[in-house]
Amino acid sequence: MNSAVSLAPTPWGLLPVLAVMLPVAGMVAALPLGARGAERLTFALLPVGLLIAIGTAAATYASGAPLVHLLGHWAPPLGLAFRADGLATAMLLTAAIVIGATALYARAEFGTPPGTPERREALSFWSLLLAVWGAINLAVVADDLFTLYVALELLTFAAMPLACLDGKRETLEAALRYLMFALLGSVLYLLGVALLYGAYGTLDIVLLAQRARAAPATVVAAALMTAGLLAKTALLPLHLWLPPAHAGAPAAASAVLSALVVKGSFVLVVRLWFGVMPGLPAPAAAQVLAALGAAAIILGSAAALAQARLKLLVAYSTVAQIGYLFLMFPLMTAAIASAEDAARAWTGGVLQAVSHAFAKAAMFLAVGLMAKGLGHDRIADLGGAGRAMPLCLLTFGLAGLSLMGVPPSGGFAAKWLLLTSAIEAGQWWWALVILGGGLLTGTYVYRVLAVALTQGNGDTAAVAEPKGQAWVALALALLSVVLGFLPLGAFGLVQIGRLDLAIGGAP
Amino acid sequence: MSATLYGLLGAALVGIGLFGLLVRPSHLLRILSFNLLGGGVFLVFGAVARRGAGAGLPGDPVPQALVLTGIVVAFAATALAVMLLLRLSAESAKRPDPS
């Protein structure tokens, strides 16, 4: 077959491995360093990690093929491969930027200025932030289903304590619920891994793509793994853990949780459907997946509209936006006859993941600042917030534009690609869902802006906006908008190394 | 024969664990159910290892290595969940539920 499926090591193949090793080594080193040292170490590693992500993207783009590294020169099925394709590099870049921005923002809350005693939460925060970063990087570049299982568990174990750092009772309860959902998800995933290994004798995605047949074991394994991953991604019927976990989490933890952690398992669903079993088109199952996504868009947006607290509104908005990600599945399987349509749906899905990551991180950070400045996050009492915290409100509005899909923004480009792909594939009902979801999103964003821009009862005059943190949030929101200005050709990067093209999908 | 038996036993454990995890309201019972479920999955791995035996070996070593990692991860998860539960009950004892 063509070079896209080759598992030979490539030059620069060490870059994705470094992207994983750097934060993991940092996490281990941070523990004995204490809170102040951990903070310094994080800020030393951030630019290096960003450079590695940019280097990976550049090398992938230049060679037009995924970067591959074989650990210890052992080739799969015996050894483990790291493979950074276009999707992986896009997520590596996103993770580096979101983690970096979150770290800058979190300095005010978890930083240890000279002369102050070190706090335990601060040490936990910085080491867990590095752990999340390492785990998400591993979850996008690993090529072995069991390594991916370990990555998913790491991601959960790092994100869960991050969400309950304040140790209050409600937060702990939400964290325990999150953990139970995540554990159920990972154990179902592991059962699927066992079945796949029993059937094909390998867990390497590239090798499985060539070997997988439509046998009962494959179908059962795929169903189990998909169900498990949906619980971790918080797709609609399994989303119950997400809003409470956000309610009491620090703003920085919410940003990372919504922007990155749920995307890790989403990338894995994509790898499973279009990597492990591209030869098994399952139009009915893909329709079910997208129907869950559509239900998430409509019900999640409606729930967001009904929330009284700003933070929960943003959390339910995440539930809705995750729904969009799953619309790419029936479009990819239906578009198998036309490579162009499949490419459009693929780019749309990946772009939605990336632009939502930036927009939602920005939104959570801005909402965190507003809640702190005003002392509450009740939407009905936000009057005057527009005058007191203009940058935060601008961030909220810009991120909202991207979530709605208003041009020009990254969210618009993503939703436009999905929309046109749905119409081309003759599945007009998804187009209706995308448009309806956009309207609902517009309504709940407007609801917040309308209240915040009113005069209010005047007690917000003394509220000062922390400018540095607000600019960080605004930068993320701008980034999610700027994605919409990139020429579509630039998104060719995310097409590199698609296994469904290489193995049997395209005619 | 024994591989089939262990595979079926594993499937039964998975069923019991899944039932407990979904139906039981108590956190502790759900953590235990998760462990039953995990045990079932590990048994399935064992059956897979037995069936995949080749070259005169009694079993395929790769699934056994995977099971070891899986057990470590499941143990860590259980420890984390139990710690969380202990913290939760300590918090509840400290501050009685307002409702």
Side-chain angles (χ1 to χ4, degrees):
Chain A
M1 305 220 185
N2 66 29
S3 61
V5 291
S6 139
L7 262 183
T10 56
W12 302 105
L14 209 57
L15 280 177
V17 183
L18 279 179
V20 176
M21 277 171 61
L22 187 79
V24 171
M27 173 194 70
V28 176
L31 289 175
L33 282 181
R36 194 171 281 121
E39 184 190 342
R40 278 196 197 133
L41 184 65
T42 310
F43 280 97
L45 293 182
L46 283 171
V48 186
L50 185 61
L51 278 181
I52 291 177
I54 293 174
T56 313
T60 312
Y61 195 69
S63 65
L67 303 184
V68 176
H69 180 79
L70 304 178
L71 285 184
H73 304 289
W74 289 91
L78 205 55
L80 299 175
F82 276 51
R83 182 172 178 276
D85 56 1
L87 172 61
T89 52
M91 294 309 294
L92 282 181
L93 273 174
T94 311
I97 294 172
V98 171
I99 296 275
T102 311
L104 281 175
Y105 174 95
R107 266 184 111 162
E109 201 173 341
F110 295 105
T112 316
T116 51
E118 298 190 341
R119 287 174 307 146
R120 208 184 135 153
E121 299 102 82
L123 173 61
S124 310
F125 178 82
W126 295 112
S127 44
L128 288 172
L129 191 68
L130 286 172
V132 168
W133 191 15
I136 184 86
N137 285 355
L138 182 60
V140 297
V141 300
D143 194 40
D144 180 271
L145 289 177
F146 193 79
T147 312
L148 287 168
Y149 163 75
V150 176
L152 280 180
E153 290 292 48
L154 268 178
L155 203 52
T156 304
F157 293 171
M160 192 279 292
L162 209 49
C164 65
L165 272 182
D166 69 352
K168 285 202 197 106
R169 190 166 162 222
E170 303 78 47
T171 334
L172 288 173
E173 230 161 70
L176 192 58
R177 184 195 283 211
Y178 171 26
L179 187 63
M180 293 322 283
F181 266 92
L183 289 182
L184 175 63
S186 51
V187 93
L188 290 180
Y189 175 86
L190 191 60
L191 188 56
V193 169
L195 293 178
L196 279 184
Y197 186 86
Y200 302 109
T202 180
L203 288 173
D204 186 86
I205 292 179
V206 174
L207 293 183
L208 276 174
Q210 293 158 355
R211 294 183 191 178
R213 301 280 167 270
T218 322
V219 176
V220 172
L224 284 169
M225 291 164 86
T226 307
L229 291 170
L230 292 190
K232 291 206 166 212
T233 316
L235 184 63
L236 182 78
L238 302 169
H239 70 289
L240 295 169
W241 59 267
L242 190 130
H246 276 297
S254 280
V256 170
L257 187 59
S258 253
L260 298 177
V261 174
V262 291
K263 304 285 159 50
S265 39
F266 166 71
V267 168
L268 207 42
V269 186
V270 172
R271 294 235 187 276
L272 180 65
W273 277 63
F274 305 116
V276 173
M277 38 173 225
L280 316 176
Q287 290 284 335
V288 171
L289 218 50
L292 292 178
I297 294 173
I298 302 299
L299 297 176
S301 301
L305 207 48
Q307 293 306 312
R309 285 186 52 201
L310 192 50
K311 203 154 189 207
L312 283 174
L313 179 145
V314 183
Y316 274 103
S317 154
T318 297
V319 172
Q321 294 288 323
I322 285 166
Y324 282 103
L325 295 174
F326 287 88
L327 294 184
M328 73 185 271
F329 287 84
L331 304 178
M332 292 282 297
T333 43
I336 228 127
S338 152
E340 199 186 327
D341 285 344
R344 201 179 288 149
W346 176 273
T347 307
V350 177
L351 194 54
Q352 165 70 12
V354 172
S355 69
H356 173 253
F358 290 139
K360 196 45 68 70
M363 219 176 211
F364 266 119
L365 296 185
V367 165
L369 283 184
M370 282 160 82
K372 210 168 169 192
L374 301 173
H376 69 86
D377 68 342
R378 293 182 301 276
I379 297 168
D381 302 335
L382 279 181
R387 178 163 296 171
M389 321 189 91
L391 283 180
C392 290
L393 211 64
L394 180 62
T395 305
F396 189 89
L398 279 179
L401 286 186
S402 186
L403 294 185
M404 274 181 244
V406 174
S409 65
F412 165 72
K415 276 147 199 148
W416 176 252
L417 287 167
L418 289 171
L419 192 79
T420 47
S421 167
I423 291 169
E424 293 284 332
Q427 303 187 10
W428 49 269
W429 48 92
W430 304 131
L432 288 184
V433 171
I434 293 171
L435 293 173
L439 277 180
L440 282 170
T441 313
T443 319
Y444 65 69
V445 171
Y446 172 77
R447 191 181 149 226
V448 174
L449 293 182
V451 179
L453 289 175
T454 56
Q455 187 71 41
N457 43 15
D459 59 353
T460 53
V463 176
E465 189 174 41
K467 287 281 180 285
Q469 285 177 295
W471 277 109
V472 170
L474 187 59
L476 279 177
L478 283 175
L479 212 51
S480 89
V481 170
V482 165
L483 275 180
F485 285 106
L486 291 178
L488 273 184
F491 299 129
L493 173 67
V494 304
Q495 300 285 338
I496 293 171
R498 266 175 59 198
L499 283 170
D500 59 320
L501 276 190
I503 309 261
Chain B
M1 179 57 209
S2 65
T4 315
L5 184 66
Y6 284 121
L8 287 174
L9 276 176
L13 276 178
V14 167
I16 297 169
L18 198 57
F19 179 82
L21 202 52
L22 295 179
V23 172
R24 294 292 185 168
S26 147
H27 288 309
L28 189 59
L29 283 177
R30 290 172 75 181
I31 294 171
L32 289 176
S33 301
F34 160 73
N35 275 280
L36 270 185
L37 182 47
V41 173
F42 300 146
L43 259 185
V44 172
F45 262 111
V48 164
R50 188 63 181 228
R51 281 183 34 162
L57 292 168
D60 180 354
V62 175
Q64 298 177 12
L66 299 186
V67 163
L68 278 182
T69 315
I71 290 173
V72 172
V73 172
F75 172 71
T78 311
L80 194 60
V82 169
M83 264 318 290
L84 208 52
L85 195 57
L86 284 176
R87 275 291 296 273
L88 193 59
S89 63
E91 284 290 319
S92 312
K94 203 159 53 184
R95 194 158 45 89
D97 203 319
S99 60

